Structure formats: C-alpha cells, structure tokens
Amino acid sequence: MNLAHLKFVQATAEKKSFSRAAEICHVAQPTLSNGIAKLEAELGEKIFSRTTRMVATTPFGKLLLPTIASMLRLEGVIRLQAKEFANPVTVVSKIGMSPLVNTSFITHLTSSYKAQNTTHEIILIEDNLDDLQEKLNTQELDLILVPTPRKTSGRNSIALYDEDLFLIE
C-alpha cells in the first residue's frame, strides 16, 4: 500500500471514472487501474465495481473512503510541518471544522486571510464535534470552527456569522 494508490482511489471515487481520475492524478489510465487493482489484491476486497460504462464504489470502498481521506490529509499536514520546519517564516495554522459549518463561508474566510498573510498556510481538518474538542485540548489543532461552542469548555469563543434556518413544507 502506498499513498499514490490511496490518491488513485480517492480520485476515482470522486470522478466515478478511471480515465478522469488518471488525468487528475497526472498518470496514464492503466497506471491508475493497476495501482487500484494492486491495492484491492493487497486488501483482499474490491473497492470498485467496474462495468464498461461506469465505476461505482463497493460497500467496502465506501467504508474505506473516510479513512483514506484522513490519511491523505495527514500527508498534507506532514508536508506543511516539514515546510514550516525548513522555513520558520512560514506559519502553519491547523483549523478544525465541523461538517455542520457553512463551507463556503469558511473558504471565503481562509482565502481572505491567506491573501493578507502570504507567509501563512492553513490546514482545514473536518471532524465531528467531540473529536475536534479533543484535538484542540491536545493542541493538534490551533482553533476549531463549530456551530455552537460548549458552555463547559472554558475556552474563549466568538460568533463569526448567523445563519437562518427555515422549514419549507
């Protein structure tokens, strides 16, 4: 198992096509297909069901995708930590966010911040509320963005935006 094979799986799951995934990964389609086949053989289960017209993720593949995404995010963290160590001018901020937070707002917020702070890198890590709180406590994250802070956390919090919620019948 190697990171390239995991990237191949992630790209194929996103694009539902070996050829489009190969383009994204900058490899030939047979290279991507063979890499995925090797990973499937190593794991002993099929990740994708293949037909002449489409590629679909199997239940086993669906089980693996969140873990694969997490591993690839960690690879990014390792690369940024190495960059930060090699170039102490670079500041890496690790921000955790709940899947319940408006991602377009966070994208706008982080893009704006990075435009004003060119020596800063931002890593966004999506996780559930309990895990985000734990990672903040263990200093794996610098801050977290959550829908509502816990009253018992004893940490400072600030509201960034309000979002209306509607029920439409």
Side-chain angles (χ1 to χ4, degrees):
M1 177 182 324
N2 66 47
L3 290 174
H5 295 164
L6 299 178
K7 289 176 185 177
F8 295 168
V9 168
Q10 187 176 48
T12 303
E14 286 175 11
K15 296 299 177 184
K16 297 180 180 16
S17 162
F18 285 117
S19 57
R20 282 184 269 160
E23 289 173 17
I24 290 172
C25 294
H26 306 290
V27 297
Q29 188 270 324
T31 302
L32 181 124
S33 295
N34 289 336
I36 291 173
K38 284 180 184 177
L39 181 61
E40 289 175 329
E42 183 179 340
L43 298 175
E45 291 286 337
K46 292 287 184 192
I47 298 170
F48 296 105
S49 59
R50 301 148 171 90
T51 67
T52 55
R53 294 184 177 253
M54 64 174 267
V55 176
T57 310
T58 65
F60 178 67
K62 289 177 183 171
L63 174 73
L64 293 182
L65 283 174
T67 305
I68 289 171
S70 188
M71 288 179 71
L72 294 175
R73 273 193 304 275
L74 287 174
E75 178 206 14
V77 170
I78 290 168
R79 290 185 187 283
L80 283 175
Q81 286 177 332
K83 182 178 179 181
E84 184 179 35
F85 184 82
N87 183 6
V89 174
T90 301
V91 176
V92 178
S93 298
K94 295 174 282 302
I95 301 173
M97 63 180 272
S98 164
L100 303 174
V101 174
N102 182 331
T103 54
S104 61
F105 173 77
I106 301 306
T107 301
H108 178 69
L109 181 70
T110 56
S111 298
S112 177
Y113 179 81
K114 283 181 71 171
Q116 296 174 23
N117 300 279
T118 56
T119 60
H120 291 218
E121 294 284 345
I122 296 175
I123 300 172
L124 288 174
I125 299 168
E126 187 176 84
D127 216 333
N128 67 52
L129 297 173
D130 290 334
D131 290 342
L132 289 174
Q133 187 67 44
E134 178 62 28
K135 288 177 182 177
L136 185 64
N137 290 339
T138 60
Q139 298 178 344
E140 291 176 61
L141 295 173
D142 299 312
L143 63 99
I144 59 175
L145 303 169
V146 296
T148 306
R150 290 191 175 147
K151 304 291 184 219
T152 60
S153 73
R155 296 194 179 266
N156 293 330
S157 64
I158 184 171
L160 296 177
Y161 70 97
D162 289 321
E163 189 171 51
D164 293 328
L165 179 65
F166 298 94
L167 170 63
I168 301 173
E169 295 186 279

